[in-house]
Amino acid sequence: MGFESAKMDASEMEPVTRVEQYPNTSSIIEEEEDSIDLIGLVQTLRHGKKTILRATCGVFAIATVVAFLLPFRYTSSVSFIPPNLNGNSSMASALAGQLSAFGAGDLLGGIKNPGDLYAGMLKSRSIASELVKNFHLMDVYKVKKESDAEKALGANTAVSVDVKSSIVTVEVTDKNPGRAQELANAYMDALRETNGRLALSQSSQRRLFFGEQLAKEKDALEDAEVDLKKTEEQSGLIAPTGQTTVEIETIAQTQAQIAVREVQLAALRDSATEQNPEVIRLRSEIDDLQGQLTRLQRGSGKESTAAIPTSKVPGLELEYVRKEREVKYHEALFDMLSRQYEAARLDEARDAPVVQVLDPASYPDIKSSPKRSYYMIGGLVFGFFGSCAWVLTRDRLHELRTSLASGETA
């Protein structure tokens, strides 16, 4: 009995021992399979070492030839300090609005500092088009469309902004080192020109407004002088004398004063309301001058300063008087507008943001690309790993074909 019970205990415990040993056995088998795969991988690579060596050397040789055949490229850089526009937010917003007309409205995004603003200007289509025309880049890049030349110029130009200092750096890469330097400096010239064209401040807006009025008045003065000359030739009159001349000059001066104040009022209304004290003062002066002009033209009553009213001047003389009065009126208005324009231009020159060049573009005497060592090392690495992958893939395909062939035979 004791022997049988002992035998039963041993038989009962045997399955437990097998169950406990089963996990360890499986892990050992998996480790052996992994080690066998690794060994097989190394053996496969070892058998294909000649293929790997040839492929690596071949790709390395091709990369070396390409590296030496590629033309040298040179990079010239220029950096500048943008003006601080934080003190005048309206100036920055006005420039951002104006840039949309030059094809750079989508380049600005959120303006974090003045450097971002001027970086957007440098990337604008307006500046790119100007450089393409000035340097004949369509012939340089061998393209038939100006838009393609602008894209090629943009691909060869890098504009970066330092976050801390806001310094803007422009790097231009070209096959010709001299042209790279000239293009980098040309970017600065184009930036200054574009910066001057845009209405950046209130003084610039006034200068543009008075400039337009002055150009129109110049044409009007020339037309009035031509009409007066025709009247002199037709009537034979040279110039009326006496109080008629005084009346002409007085009326012309009064009309010119009215016109100047109307121009000032129109310019002021762009930035002020009707309740502005300056607007009210100008309107009052215009009303007073209009009343004075009416009395002068009628020439009636004791308040009239003219001895001969214009209504009583003979026909030919009246025609001459009107033409001469028109000339004097435009002369006086042109003189007053010229003074206003010069004052606005001086204010703009004083308030205009100035782009200060920190490092002008220098002649690049060292090539920036191609990096021949990078090409050669890249070819060596790519050739080695590519050939290893090919050897392993070829071996797997061979095993697969062999297994398929044996299965069909069976």
Side-chain angles (χ1 to χ4, degrees):
M1 290 291 292
F3 177 76
E4 291 179 356
S5 62
K7 186 176 182 180
M8 290 177 61
D9 293 340
S11 62
E12 291 176 355
M13 293 176 62
E14 183 177 359
V16 176
T17 305
R18 290 177 181 176
V19 173
E20 290 178 353
Q21 292 177 352
Y22 182 77
N24 296 331
T25 304
S26 62
S27 62
I28 293 172
I29 293 173
E30 290 178 357
E31 291 178 358
E32 290 178 354
E33 290 178 352
D34 293 340
S35 62
I36 291 174
D37 291 339
L38 182 60
I39 293 173
L41 180 65
V42 174
Q43 289 178 351
T44 302
L45 294 176
R46 187 175 180 181
H47 288 311
K49 60 182 180 181
K50 292 183 178 180
T51 303
I52 295 174
L53 181 61
R54 292 194 189 101
T56 302
C57 294
V59 175
F60 174 75
I62 293 173
T64 303
V65 172
V66 171
F68 279 87
L69 288 179
L70 287 176
F72 289 162
R73 297 175 65 84
Y74 301 87
T75 300
S76 180
S77 62
V78 58
S79 60
F80 65 92
I81 303 174
N84 188 8
L85 302 181
N86 294 331
N88 191 350
S89 60
S90 61
M91 184 184 300
S93 60
L95 178 56
Q98 293 276 346
L99 282 177
S100 59
F102 291 86
D106 56 341
L107 299 174
L108 294 180
I111 299 176
K112 299 179 181 179
N113 54 46
D116 294 332
L117 192 65
Y118 284 88
M121 293 176 63
L122 288 168
K123 297 176 183 178
S124 66
R125 187 179 64 253
S126 173
I127 291 181
S129 177
E130 182 179 349
L131 295 183
V132 167
K133 294 176 182 177
N134 293 341
F135 288 88
H136 307 287
L137 295 183
M138 293 177 61
D139 298 332
V140 174
Y141 297 138
K142 295 180 174 59
V143 294
K144 296 181 179 180
K145 296 181 180 180
E146 184 177 339
S147 59
D148 294 336
E150 294 174 3
K151 292 179 182 178
L153 177 62
N156 292 320
T157 303
V159 182
S160 59
V161 182
D162 187 83
V163 179
K164 296 182 179 179
S165 62
S166 298
I167 295 177
V168 182
T169 302
V170 183
E171 295 181 344
V172 182
T173 303
D174 197 271
K175 297 178 182 178
N176 189 324
R179 186 166 55 233
Q181 180 187 16
E182 293 174 359
L183 279 171
N185 289 324
Y187 266 107
M188 291 295 96
D189 297 336
L191 179 63
R192 294 190 189 96
E193 182 181 355
T194 304
N195 193 27
R197 284 204 310 266
L198 300 180
L200 299 180
S201 63
Q202 190 175 10
S203 59
S204 299
Q205 295 176 359
R206 290 204 338 267
R207 192 263 304 170
L208 291 174
F209 180 82
F210 285 116
E212 293 175 357
Q213 297 297 323
L214 187 63
K216 294 178 181 178
E217 188 55 36
K218 181 179 180 182
D219 295 336
L221 177 59
E222 293 176 353
D223 294 339
E225 291 173 346
V226 171
D227 291 341
L228 178 61
K229 183 179 180 181
K230 291 180 179 179
T231 302
E232 290 177 348
E233 293 174 351
Q234 293 174 0
S235 62
L237 294 175
I238 297 176
T241 57
Q243 293 181 347
T244 303
T245 304
V246 176
E247 179 186 7
I248 292 172
E249 294 177 355
T250 305
I251 291 175
Q253 289 292 335
T254 304
Q255 288 179 328
Q257 292 178 13
I258 293 173
V260 168
R261 282 163 176 77
E262 288 178 346
V263 171
Q264 292 176 346
L265 182 61
L268 189 60
R269 279 175 175 169
D270 292 338
S271 58
T273 61
E274 294 293 332
Q275 288 74 27
N276 188 284
E278 188 68 17
V279 173
I280 296 174
R281 183 184 66 81
L282 288 173
R283 292 177 62 182
S284 177
E285 291 180 357
I286 291 172
D287 293 339
D288 293 341
L289 290 171
Q290 288 283 7
Q292 182 180 353
L293 180 63
T294 302
R295 292 192 297 270
L296 286 171
Q297 290 177 337
R298 289 177 180 173
S300 59
K302 296 181 180 179
E303 296 179 357
S304 176
T305 58
I308 304 176
T310 56
S311 59
K312 297 181 180 179
V313 178
L316 292 177
E317 188 175 357
L318 177 60
E319 183 68 19
Y320 182 90
V321 166
R322 288 175 177 172
K323 298 298 182 182
E324 186 179 22
R325 182 179 62 191
E326 190 74 11
V327 171
K328 290 184 178 298
Y329 158 70
H330 287 293
E331 285 180 348
L333 183 57
F334 183 82
D335 181 62
M336 293 180 182
L337 286 175
S338 298
R339 290 197 293 267
Q340 293 286 342
Y341 175 78
E342 288 299 323
R345 192 174 64 83
L346 292 176
D347 291 340
E348 180 191 23
R350 184 180 65 249
D351 300 336
V354 179
V355 176
Q356 301 178 0
V357 177
L358 181 62
D359 293 322
S362 59
Y363 185 86
D365 53 357
I366 300 176
K367 65 179 179 65
S368 59
S369 65
K371 302 290 185 181
R372 290 174 176 173
S373 58
Y374 293 171
Y375 278 86
M376 296 167 67
I377 294 174
L380 186 65
V381 173
F382 178 77
F384 175 75
F385 285 103
S387 59
C388 290
W390 161 246
V391 169
L392 294 175
T393 303
R394 183 185 61 179
D395 184 70
R396 293 294 183 183
L397 291 175
H398 178 70
E399 292 179 357
L400 182 60
R401 285 196 298 267
T402 303
S403 62
L404 291 176
S406 61
E408 292 177 356
T409 303

